[in-house]
Amino acid sequence: MLQPTKSTLADVAPWDLTRDYHSFANTEQVQVTHVSLDVMVDFDAQRLFAKATLSLDFLECDVTELWLDSRDLTILAVTCFNATEGVNALTEMDEEPLDFVLNEADPILGQKLCITLPESPCKQVCIHYQTSPSAQGLQWLAPEQTAGKQLPYLFSQSQPINARSWIPLQDTPKARITFDAKVQVPKGMRAVMSAMNHPDTPLNGAFHFEMEQPIPTHLMALAVGDIAFQAIGPRCGVYTEPSMLAAAAKEFEDTEHMLDVAESLLGPYVWGRYDMIILPPSFPFGGMENPRLAFLTPTLIAGDKSLVSTVAHELAHSWTGNLVSNATWRDLWLNEGFTTYFTNRIVEAVYGKEQAELEWVIEFGRLKEEIASLPTGKQTLPANVQQDDPNLAFNRFTYDKASMFVHDLERRLGRVEFDKFLLTYVNHFAFKAITTEVFVEYAKQTLLQLHADKITEAELLTWIYGEGLPKGYCGPTSMSLDKVDDALACFLQGTAAGRLSVKDWRVHHWQYFLTQLPEVVSQVQLMDLDETFQLTQSTNAEIACDWFRVAIRNHYDPVLPALSAYLVRIGRGKFVRPLYAELQIAGYHSELKDIYTKARAGYHPSIQVQLDKSLSL
C-alpha cells in the first residue's frame, strides 16, 4: 500500500484553505451577484471609460463596507441606489454618492477598493471608472499588428486575476456572477464577449450582451476589432479577422462532433452555443475557456488539424472549469487535471486511439521534464501559491500530474465505472466552486466507499498531497512511438537523417523525437537534421519551439534569425517563456536582450510582466 509523503494536509493546516488569498473581496459578508456594464472603448486613449453596476446579496447583517478588487483603475465616482424597477429605469438622480478609498497597491493583487455603504439598505452600487493603458488584462494592438493592417484590435485576458484591471469587482472564482453589457466601439468594428453573441448585429458601434448563467469572474472576456464570423455547425462557429476565417473554419470544422462526444460523456452542454474567436498571435495562451466564446491562438491553425486538441480542451472546460470551478488558485488542478483528461477522451473519440495515446505520452514526457526541474515542495497537486503570483500555478506540472491522477482513477475503476463517477461529480457540483479538500471529502463519501477494493484513502491522498509521482506509477506508452525510438537510436548511432524512416509521422512523433534527443548533440548532426527536414523553417509552432530549444542548448547558431522572427511574431507563453529561459541558460545574453527589445511591445501585458521579472530586464 502506498503511504502519503510528508506533504500532507497537516503541513498546510496554518492556511485557511477556504480563503482566496488572491482577492481582497469580503465575499463572506456580501456577494456581488450581477454586473451591468456600460463601456465605451477608446482606441486613441487605449482606455475603457465605463460604469459598472453591481447587484449585492448581503450574507451578514450590518455590513458597513464593500471590498472589491481593482488594479490600475481610476475611480471617478461611486454611488448607490435602491430602485426596484431595474437598472435600465434608473437615472443619475436616483444615485446617492458613496465614500470610497483605494488602498495602497500590492504588486501582485493590485488595490483594495473600500466602499462605505449607507445605513439604509443598498441593493446596487455603481462605479464610474476608467482603465489604464497598461491594464494587465487588456491588450491594445495597432492596425499594423493585426492581419488586416487596417483597424486596431483589443482583447482581454482575465485569468487568473486580471479581470480587476478592467472591471472593479470581487475578482475570485468563489464569487460567480451573471452580467449584461452595453459596449460602444468605433463604427465598422465588431465587439464580442463571453456571452451570447449575434453575428448579424450591424456594425454601427453599439453592442449588447447578456450572460444569464453565473460564471467566475476570470471568465469575463471582451474582444473588439475587424472580426468576421462563419458557422461550422448548428451550435458552433468561428470569429476571426477576415483573412484567417476560411482557414480557421476548415481547421476547426470537427468542433460540433467534439461537442456531441463531450455531451455523451458528461451530460448536456448548458451554455447554448460554443463559438470560438481566433485572436492575433500575441494572445498569451493556447486557449481560454471563456463560456460561449473560447479564445484561441492562431498557432493552432497548422493546416492538418494536428493541434486541435486545444479546441477539445477549451470545450471540455465547459464542464470541468466553467460548470465546476476551483474555489482558489491553489485548487487549479481540479480545473486543469480533469479537463486535460477529458480532452484526451474527446480526441480518442474523434481522431482515434493512436492520436490520444500519442498526446498522453507527450503529456507524460513534459511532466517528467517538469519534475526534474521543479522543487519537490512544489510537486503536490494543490499549487500552494497563497503568497505568490497565481500565474505560477499555471505550469505543465499542474495540468499533467493532475491528468495522470485522473487517468489512474480510470485505470483502477475501469472506464465504465469511472465515467459514472465523473458524470455524478460534475452534476453534484454544477455552478459551484470547490476546494481540494471538498473534492477529497466527496471522494471519501463516493469513490472510496463504492470502490474500496480498487483504491484506498492513502493512495488517494498520496496522489493529491504527495510530492512527484506515487512510487511504482507507470506512465502511458504507445506502440506508435516504437518507430520513433528506432529512428532515434539509428540517428544517434550515426545513420544520416536522410536515411531515417519518417514516413507518416505526425506532429507528436516529431515532438517526441526532438524531446528525446540527448542534451548534447553535435553540430554536424544538428545541421544534418535541419537540412534534411527543414526544422528551422517549420511552420508548425509546436515543432519549431521544440527544435529551437534543442538548437539553443547546443549553440546551433543558424537558428538565431528564425528564432528571433518567431519570438517577435508569437506571444504565446507556452512558447516564449521556455525559449527565453533556454537563451538565458545557454549564455545568449546579448542576443536575448536584442530579441526581447524587438518583441516586447507585441506581447500581452501579463507576459511582459512575467518576462521582465524572470529575465531581469
Side-chain angles (χ1 to χ4, degrees):
M1 180 185 297
L2 297 173
Q3 297 297 324
T5 66
K6 62 182 180 180
S7 292
T8 62
L9 180 57
D11 295 310
V12 292
W15 295 102
D16 178 355
L17 301 180
T18 66
R19 175 184 167 189
D20 183 354
Y21 285 88
H22 296 106
S23 173
F24 295 117
N26 54 338
T27 54
E28 303 306 315
Q29 297 177 306
V30 56
Q31 290 188 353
V32 176
T33 58
H34 182 84
V35 176
S36 185
L37 288 173
D38 195 337
V39 177
M40 194 271 283
V41 180
D42 188 329
F43 279 97
D44 292 332
Q46 295 193 342
R47 295 179 186 270
L48 301 182
F49 294 88
K51 172 183 173 182
T53 303
L54 314 183
S55 298
L56 307 180
D57 179 21
F58 288 87
L59 306 181
E60 293 183 2
C61 299
D62 303 322
V63 178
T64 59
E65 290 186 326
L66 172 65
W67 298 348
L68 302 176
D69 297 298
S70 71
R71 182 192 286 128
D72 296 330
L73 297 178
T74 299
I75 309 299
L76 304 174
V78 180
T79 60
C80 169
F81 52 72
N82 293 297
T84 58
E85 54 266 53
V87 174
N88 294 333
L90 297 167
T91 68
E92 291 186 4
M93 294 185 64
D94 298 307
E95 300 181 28
E96 172 189 347
L98 296 179
D99 292 331
F100 66 91
V101 174
L102 271 174
N103 286 6
E104 184 177 350
D106 179 274
I108 294 175
L109 304 183
Q111 294 173 282
K112 179 164 71 171
L113 173 59
C114 299
I115 299 171
T116 302
L117 297 173
E119 293 184 4
S120 58
C122 184
K123 296 179 181 179
Q124 293 174 316
V125 167
C126 294
I127 304 168
H128 302 255
Y129 69 97
Q130 64 188 42
T131 62
S132 165
S134 60
Q136 287 190 36
L138 300 174
Q139 181 164 24
W140 303 85
L141 300 177
E144 57 269 22
Q145 294 175 291
T146 69
K149 311 297 183 186
Q150 300 300 311
L151 295 173
Y153 205 107
L154 164 68
F155 66 88
S156 67
Q157 173 53 40
S158 294
Q159 191 183 51
I161 58 170
N162 287 329
R164 66 191 67 181
S165 71
W166 62 286
I167 311 171
L169 37 60
Q170 295 179 324
D171 193 12
T172 168
K174 293 175 63 176
R176 285 177 172 261
I177 58 167
T178 55
F179 77 89
D180 67 88
K182 293 179 181 178
V183 181
Q184 180 182 341
V185 303
K187 290 183 178 180
M189 302 184 76
R190 182 181 302 280
V192 291
M193 292 193 76
S194 51
M196 190 58 73
N197 292 280
H198 303 282
D200 56 351
T201 301
L203 305 184
N204 61 8
F207 293 85
H208 183 264
F209 304 94
E210 290 190 15
M211 171 55 80
E212 307 87 354
Q213 294 150 305
I215 63 172
T217 52
H218 65 268
L219 299 179
M220 295 288 291
L222 168 69
V224 181
D226 182 10
I227 300 171
F229 174 81
Q230 182 172 327
I232 56 175
R235 293 179 290 176
C236 301
V238 174
Y239 291 88
T240 191
E241 291 189 72
S243 63
M244 292 194 293
L245 188 58
K250 180 63 178 175
E251 197 81 5
F252 307 132
E253 64 184 356
D254 298 326
T255 305
E256 192 79 37
H257 183 25
M258 291 183 184
L259 182 51
D260 292 337
V261 168
E263 286 187 310
S264 72
L265 294 172
L266 288 184
Y269 179 76
V270 302
W271 304 97
R273 289 191 59 83
Y274 181 77
D275 291 323
M276 299 161 282
I277 180 169
I278 316 305
L279 294 168
S282 58
F283 180 57
F285 293 101
M288 182 63 213
E289 62 270 19
N290 304 315
R292 297 184 184 170
L293 188 68
F295 281 26
L296 298 174
T297 170
T299 61
L300 302 179
I301 304 176
D304 58 4
K305 302 182 182 179
S306 58
L307 304 179
V308 297
S309 61
T310 297
V311 176
H313 184 92
E314 306 315 326
L315 172 61
H317 269 305
S318 300
W319 288 267
T320 49
N322 298 2
L323 198 56
V324 182
S325 304
N326 54 303
T328 77
W329 297 112
R330 171 182 178 266
D331 310 301
L332 178 65
W333 73 272
L334 289 166
N335 275 23
E336 299 301 349
F338 280 96
T339 298
T340 304
Y341 163 84
F342 190 20
T343 301
N344 199 254
R345 293 288 300 277
I346 296 173
V347 168
E348 179 182 324
V350 177
Y351 298 106
K353 191 169 184 179
E354 180 185 9
Q355 178 79 0
E357 284 183 346
L358 284 171
E359 295 189 5
W360 189 12
V361 171
I362 295 296
E363 282 176 26
F364 187 58
R366 288 192 306 241
L367 176 59
K368 289 189 291 184
E369 186 178 341
E370 287 282 329
I371 288 176
S373 60
L374 200 64
T376 55
K378 299 288 188 180
Q379 294 184 17
T380 62
L381 285 185
N384 292 304
V385 291
Q386 292 93 324
Q387 289 182 307
D388 297 319
D389 187 333
N391 283 292
L392 296 175
F394 289 82
N395 55 46
R396 288 312 318 181
F397 179 86
T398 298
Y399 288 60
D400 295 332
K401 178 182 175 180
S403 173
M404 297 304 146
F405 164 57
V406 183
H407 275 287
D408 194 53
L409 288 180
E410 184 209 303
R411 178 188 64 83
R412 291 170 180 269
L413 272 61
R415 179 164 286 187
V416 172
E417 290 300 314
F418 179 72
D419 284 355
K420 291 179 183 177
F421 166 76
L422 195 57
L423 179 60
T424 304
Y425 161 72
V426 169
N427 288 335
H428 184 79
F429 290 112
F431 293 106
K432 294 183 176 66
I434 65 172
T435 64
T436 299
E437 287 63 47
V438 169
F439 173 81
V440 169
E441 189 59 34
Y442 178 78
K444 288 179 182 179
Q445 296 174 7
T446 56
L447 197 69
L448 297 182
Q449 291 190 20
L450 293 172
H451 303 284
D453 57 328
K454 297 171 183 173
I455 183 170
T456 66
E457 181 177 337
E459 290 169 327
L460 179 79
L461 296 180
T462 295
W463 262 112
I464 295 174
Y465 297 112
E467 296 168 349
L469 291 168
K471 186 177 180 181
Y473 173 73
C474 295
T477 59
S478 173
M479 293 181 63
S480 179
L481 292 173
D482 292 346
K483 57 190 176 186
V484 184
D485 287 327
D486 292 342
L488 182 62
C490 290
F491 178 70
L492 295 178
Q493 290 168 10
T495 300
R499 296 181 59 191
L500 300 178
S501 179
V502 299
K503 185 180 179 181
D504 299 326
W505 277 21
R506 303 184 186 190
V507 170
H508 301 90
H509 293 117
W510 283 109
Q511 286 186 277
Y512 181 78
F513 179 87
L514 292 170
T515 57
Q516 294 303 305
L517 285 168
E519 284 290 313
V520 178
V521 183
S522 73
Q523 295 290 301
V524 172
Q525 287 177 307
L526 291 171
M527 187 178 299
D528 186 21
L529 284 174
D530 199 11
E531 292 180 351
T532 303
F533 302 119
Q534 300 296 300
L535 294 170
T536 299
Q537 283 72 47
S538 176
T539 57
N540 184 291
E542 295 277 359
I543 293 175
C545 182
D546 288 340
W547 166 246
F548 287 146
R549 294 186 71 182
V550 171
I552 294 168
R553 288 174 198 158
N554 289 278
H555 290 264
Y556 180 63
D557 291 351
V559 305
L560 290 176
L563 171 65
S564 177
Y566 180 96
L567 287 170
V568 169
R569 183 177 74 254
I570 294 174
R572 185 177 173 186
K574 175 184 180 181
F575 300 142
V576 301
R577 283 193 296 259
L579 288 174
Y580 281 118
E582 294 283 6
L583 285 168
Q584 196 170 42
I585 293 169
Y588 284 102
H589 300 301
S590 62
E591 291 86 352
L592 185 157
K593 186 174 182 179
D594 289 343
I595 294 171
Y596 189 55
T597 299
K598 289 186 292 184
R600 186 184 185 278
Y603 292 155
H604 190 274
S606 63
I607 292 293
Q608 292 175 352
V609 170
Q610 293 172 43
L611 289 176
D612 287 351
K613 183 177 181 181
S614 65
L615 302 179
S616 300
L617 293 175

